[in-house]
């Protein structure tokens, strides 16, 4: 039976969920706090991008919009590491043909909104900020740009309003609602490597570039216009930190010393450093994600994570896919559907957060460690020969739809096993040998 559904937030997940619900015949109204980004000017010189991987593609495909998105995606089959002395090394992300994809956050959001508006049973409202709710009635009160309030009654209210969700804040007033937030010690700042005059990229296009430096790192993802968006993940406090780099000279010296090959690529590096904002990074956990058959949290509002596995959006998109499957299973029983969604997905919300924290250490530190790179080479060779016995953790997360909670569990078992392999004497010399392969087989069985 068709329902009247309110979605709060026309971000990436809210827009996609609207399309899913509309295709099931529901009447969907999406309320967004910001003005319509399709009419706004892009902030000059800034273009933020995200890595899209298999889970995201699976969810886009289910509603038939993956081909549209593919037109704006740049494949990144490998990561390229930039050492402090300028030496480059590279590591494929998966098997031949496997890649993660760089897409513009704004571009993807605009496309999803346009596709949503194409559905006759979706209405989008901008400059509407959720300020109050009656959760048991799925009622929402929005304030528009003239501070005029509008009461919206619906059958179902979906909170797709991101990390600092207002819907979730109101759920916190419910008895036995669990919530925790954790800010990591690092923040981030975006910088841009502009395109060459002919519009080409200054560094290799089809790769995610990393400058791993132990406790911090810089990464860069390509944009379609030839530019690269760089993100510096850096501690807020300490010897090398946002706090310690106070003057133009300190920033210049720091980059010349630590990221020397970046300096000639960014003409206004120091100005950009001081002009661009520094943002914090956090993990939000909560439970349950529903109130009866009336309210549901989806995307970052339910499981915001740090960005080090490039999975926040992918997890949110996968949530839309899983919810749709459960709607198919439960038909008109929305309470059963929401209950199962919350119980089934919560371990995966926790899983993607644990994986994201784990990958921060891998990216900023391990990718510069020859032992780690050797370990990954051994795993890749083994998994090519015995794909049914071994799928590397990165592949489970980025190139499969295996549940995050399972990937995290299996990944930890694999790591324990690989520690035994890496402690074999002279593993550097014999990693390719039959004896190492046999040892791995013996340890697995
Ligand atoms: C630096 C960084 C890099 C990232 N890189 C990746 C990556 O490579 N790959 C990946 O998969 N993920 C990545 N992510 C995560 C990804 O951005 C998020 O997981 C994703 O945007 C979540 O989508 P969402 O729709 O749930 O939330 P959002 O995108 O935050 O959208 C929420 C929407 O709700 C609106 N809203 C909020 N409050 C209200 C209110 N009261 N009333 C009305 N509207 C409201 C907001 O304006 C917004 O439009 C990254 C995140 C960061 C910070």
């Amino acid at each position: 039976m068709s329902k009247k559904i309110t979605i709060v937030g026309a971000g990436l997940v809210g827009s996609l969920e609207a399309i899913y619900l509309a295709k099931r015949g529901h009447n969907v109204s999406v309320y967004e706090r910001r003005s319509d980004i399709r009419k706004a000017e892009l902030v000059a010189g800034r273009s933020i991008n995200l890595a899209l991987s298999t889970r995201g593609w699976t969810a886009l495909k289910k509603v038939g919009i993956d081909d549209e998105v593919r037109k704006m995606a740049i494949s990144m089959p490998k990561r390229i590491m930039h050492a402090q002395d300028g030496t480059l090394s590279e590591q494929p992300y998966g098997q031949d043909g496997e890649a993660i994809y760089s897409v513009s956050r704004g571009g993807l959001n605009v496309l999803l909104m346009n596709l949503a508006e194409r559905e006759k049973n979706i209405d989008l409202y901008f400059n509407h900020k959720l300020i109050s709710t009656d959760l048991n009635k799925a009622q929402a009160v929005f304030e528009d740009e003239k501070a005029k309030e509008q009461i919206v009654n619906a059958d179902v209210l979906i909170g797709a309003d991101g990390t600092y969700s207002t819907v979730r804040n109101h759920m916190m007033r419910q008895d036995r609602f669990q919530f925790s937030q954790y800010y990591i010690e690092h923040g981030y700042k975006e910088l841009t490597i502009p395109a060459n005059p002919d519009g080409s990229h200054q560094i290799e296009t089809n790769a995610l570039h990393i400058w791993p430096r132990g406790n911090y790192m810089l990464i860069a993802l390509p944009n379609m216009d030839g530019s690269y968006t760089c993100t510096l993940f850096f501690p807020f406090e300490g010897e090398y930190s946002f706090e310690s780099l106070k003057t133009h000279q300190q920033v210049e010296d720091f980059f010349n010393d630590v990221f020397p090959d970046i300096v000639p690529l960014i003409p206004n590096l120091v100005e950009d450093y001081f002009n661009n904002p520094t943002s914090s990074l956090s993990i939000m956990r909560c439970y349950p994600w529903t109130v009866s058959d009336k309210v549901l949290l989806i995307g970052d509002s339910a499981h915001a994570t740090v960005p080090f596995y490039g999975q926040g959006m992918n997890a949110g998109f996968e949530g839309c896919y899983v919810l749709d499957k459960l709607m198919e299973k439960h038909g008109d029983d929305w309470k059963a559907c929401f209950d199962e969604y919350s119980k089934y997905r919560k371990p995966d919300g926790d899983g993607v957060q644990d994986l994201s924290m784990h990958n921060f250490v891998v990216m900023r530190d391990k990718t510069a460690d020859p032992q780690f790179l050797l370990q990954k080479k051994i795993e890749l060779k083994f998994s090519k020969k015995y794909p049914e016995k071994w799928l590397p953790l990165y592949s489970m997360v980025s190139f499969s739809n295996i549940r995050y909670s399972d990937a995290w569990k299996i990944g930890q078992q694999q790591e324990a096993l690989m520690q035994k392999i890496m402690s074999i004497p002279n593993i550097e010399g014999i990693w390719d040998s039959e004896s190492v392969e046999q040892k791995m087989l013996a340890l697995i069985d």
Side-chain angles (χ1 to χ4, degrees):
M1 206 177 66
S2 168
K3 295 249 185 199
K4 184 173 184 291
I5 299 177
T6 300
I7 295 183
V8 185
L12 297 168
V13 176
S15 303
L16 181 63
E17 182 55 28
I19 297 172
Y20 263 89
L21 291 168
K23 290 206 183 285
R24 286 207 162 268
H26 302 295
N27 293 311
V28 187
S29 298
V30 187
Y31 292 86
E32 168 57 48
R33 177 181 60 181
R34 294 175 303 176
S35 55
D36 189 344
I37 54 170
R38 295 169 298 181
K39 293 175 190 152
E41 299 269 327
L42 268 178
V43 181
R46 295 196 65 205
S47 157
I48 299 169
N49 48 28
L50 303 165
L52 181 59
S53 51
T54 295
R55 293 163 202 276
W57 288 118
T58 303
L60 294 168
K61 192 175 168 68
K62 177 100 196 280
V63 280
I65 59 178
D66 52 322
D67 286 340
E68 295 266 7
V69 177
R70 225 169 267 283
K71 290 179 199 154
M72 57 158 77
I74 301 177
S75 76
M76 301 183 292
K78 61 186 174 190
R79 51 185 166 207
I80 295 182
M81 278 73 76
H82 296 242
Q84 202 155 341
D85 66 3
T87 313
L88 301 186
S89 54
E90 56 182 62
Q91 189 194 12
Y93 274 126
Q95 311 282 10
D96 300 336
E98 284 177 329
I100 55 175
Y101 290 81
S102 176
V103 290
S104 149
R105 171 197 279 274
L108 180 57
N109 209 157
V110 164
L111 176 67
L112 289 173
M113 284 176 184
N114 286 340
L115 294 172
E117 247 173 10
R118 241 191 252 167
E119 305 286 332
K120 61 178 188 328
N121 44 347
I122 298 180
D123 292 309
L124 300 179
Y125 301 93
F126 296 93
N127 300 307
H128 277 70
K129 179 179 160 194
L130 180 73
I131 53 166
S132 151
T133 52
D134 183 337
L135 298 177
N136 295 315
K137 291 189 190 153
Q139 186 186 75
V141 182
F142 295 95
E143 188 183 82
D144 69 15
E145 73 264 47
K146 291 178 188 134
K148 198 168 150 237
E149 287 184 13
Q150 188 184 341
I151 299 171
V152 177
N153 290 303
D155 299 313
V156 173
L157 174 68
I158 295 190
D161 49 347
T163 306
Y164 303 101
S165 167
T166 305
V167 178
R168 188 188 62 222
N169 282 346
H170 292 183
M171 286 167 77
M172 273 192 231
R173 298 173 198 156
Q174 305 265 106
D175 189 30
R176 299 189 64 224
F177 185 79
Q178 309 280 4
F179 174 72
S180 71
Q181 65 179 18
Y182 172 68
Y183 284 91
I184 64 167
E185 288 167 11
H186 296 67
Y188 71 96
K189 186 182 282 292
E190 276 148 354
L191 300 165
T192 306
I193 301 177
N196 285 317
D198 66 357
S200 60
H201 289 99
Q202 291 197 59
I203 50 177
E204 186 168 338
T205 305
N206 294 105
L208 189 153
H209 294 258
I210 309 182
W211 288 257
R213 296 294 183 265
N215 186 33
Y216 54 89
M217 67 175 175
L218 195 141
I219 67 168
L221 275 73
N223 296 313
M224 298 289 270
D225 65 1
S227 66
Y228 252 93
T229 303
C230 304
T231 312
L232 172 67
F233 294 102
F234 206 37
F236 276 104
E237 291 159 10
E239 189 184 1
Y240 296 109
S241 65
F242 286 120
E243 186 192 59
S244 73
L245 298 186
K246 291 200 179 79
T247 65
H248 279 50
Q249 194 59 50
Q250 282 170 332
V251 171
E252 205 174 307
D253 292 347
F254 174 75
F255 274 83
N256 278 324
D257 184 28
V258 177
F259 304 117
D261 60 339
I262 273 278
V263 175
L265 305 177
I266 306 181
N268 304 316
L269 175 63
V270 177
E271 289 76 11
D272 290 354
Y273 181 92
F274 285 108
N275 288 338
N276 294 349
T278 304
S279 308
S280 55
L281 294 164
S282 61
I283 278 180
M284 305 279 178
R285 290 190 168 178
C286 64
Y287 191 77
W289 293 352
T290 56
V291 178
S292 179
D293 59 348
K294 293 291 174 206
V295 182
L296 178 122
L297 298 175
I298 198 160
D300 275 11
S301 65
H303 48 70
T305 188
V306 289
F308 306 113
Y309 231 122
Q311 285 297 317
M313 165 190 65
N314 287 288
F317 283 2
E318 188 179 58
C320 300
Y321 177 90
V322 170
L323 182 61
D324 191 66
K325 286 259 169 207
L326 292 174
M327 285 183 171
E328 222 162 84
K329 176 176 164 185
H330 291 289
D332 281 339
D333 191 347
W334 284 62
K335 175 147 181 11
C337 172
F338 280 13
D339 263 359
E340 189 173 344
Y341 180 80
S342 186
K343 286 198 183 97
Y344 177 86
R345 270 310 267 178
K346 169 65 174 160
D348 297 323
D350 292 346
V352 73
Q353 293 168 336
D354 291 336
L355 285 158
S356 304
M357 285 304 291
H358 162 80
N359 211 44
F360 187 25
V361 181
V362 169
M363 287 179 86
R364 74 183 196 212
D365 199 6
K366 298 267 171 94
T367 54
D369 174 1
Q371 282 293 103
F372 174 80
L373 296 179
L374 176 64
Q375 178 181 328
K376 293 296 135 188
K377 220 154 67 174
I378 297 171
E379 288 183 38
L380 201 61
K381 179 184 170 243
F382 190 79
S383 81
K384 265 186 181 159
K385 190 153 173 192
Y386 301 103
E388 73 294 345
K389 287 188 191 293
W390 193 285
L391 193 55
L393 179 59
Y394 193 89
S395 301
M396 280 191 274
V397 174
S398 300
F399 303 130
S400 89
N401 296 300
I402 294 171
R403 295 182 66 177
Y404 287 116
S405 49
D406 288 342
W408 179 227
K409 234 181 291 162
I410 299 166
Q412 284 171 301
Q413 289 159 0
Q414 287 178 341
E415 185 57 31
L417 187 153
M418 285 310 293
Q419 287 312 313
K420 294 189 181 138
I421 297 293
M422 296 309 288
S423 65
I424 296 172
N426 187 32
I427 184 68
E428 297 80 6
I430 60 163
W431 71 271
D432 215 3
S433 65
E434 179 68 22
S435 69
V436 169
E437 189 177 313
Q438 287 308 319
K439 174 93 179 159
M440 283 190 70
L441 284 170
L443 285 169
I444 287 172
D445 292 333

